Amino acid sequence: MPALNHLIIPAKNKDASAIFLADILGVEAGPQWGPFRPVQTSNGVTLDFVDSPDVRTSHYAFLVEDKEFDTAFAKIKAAGVRYYADPHKHEPGKINHHWGGRGVYFDDPDGHLMELITKPYGSSPP
């Protein structure tokens, strides 16, 4: 079965964006590789940030454990990053509790909409 290996994410400053996300996720941004600054997730997918004058924003969701959510959410709040319970940003300063878990949306430095969830979409509550 094919597996996703990497995504290329355009950024105004690849280093700032990679370091921002890596810090929130509690991982290290990798060293520059070619034109990219990688951030690897626990399932081996690498987000390769690249400098680009044309940043078209996108959405990236991360499935995290409860403890990881707590740590990441504390970092989001401590950094003063605005966060939302919904992707349309109608519920600022709140998180959601879909499928018996928790979720939060926030923007990275380039406006990409990042999401942390503790239960996959469509999960049934415990």
Side-chain angles (χ1 to χ4, degrees):
M1 171 180 270
L4 183 62
N5 178 263
H6 68 276
L7 298 168
I8 296 174
I9 302 177
K12 293 175 188 152
N13 180 326
K14 69 180 177 229
D15 295 318
S17 293
I19 291 167
F20 171 83
L21 181 62
D23 181 55
I24 296 293
L25 296 177
V27 299
E28 292 289 324
Q32 182 163 325
W33 183 79
F36 306 108
R37 185 71 189 266
V39 175
Q40 189 169 43
T41 64
S42 64
N43 63 347
V45 175
T46 302
L47 306 173
D48 293 327
F49 289 87
V50 65
D51 288 330
S52 174
D54 181 32
V55 175
R56 299 170 96 184
T57 60
S58 195
H59 173 87
Y60 302 91
F62 301 90
L63 180 62
V64 297
E65 298 290 330
D66 284 312
K67 185 175 179 178
E68 292 169 318
F69 185 93
D70 293 338
T71 301
F73 188 49
K75 290 177 183 180
I76 290 167
K77 291 192 299 186
V81 175
R82 292 188 59 141
Y83 60 91
Y84 310 87
D86 68 300
H88 305 291
K89 302 179 183 178
H90 295 258
E91 298 180 74
K94 298 180 182 178
I95 66 171
N96 66 58
H97 297 277
H98 301 313
W99 300 284
R102 294 178 291 162
V104 66
Y105 295 85
F106 60 98
D107 290 324
D108 87 339
D110 292 299
H112 295 293
L113 186 61
M114 302 295 178
E115 179 183 12
L116 303 176
I117 55 174
T118 60
K119 297 281 185 179
Y121 286 160
S123 297
S124 56

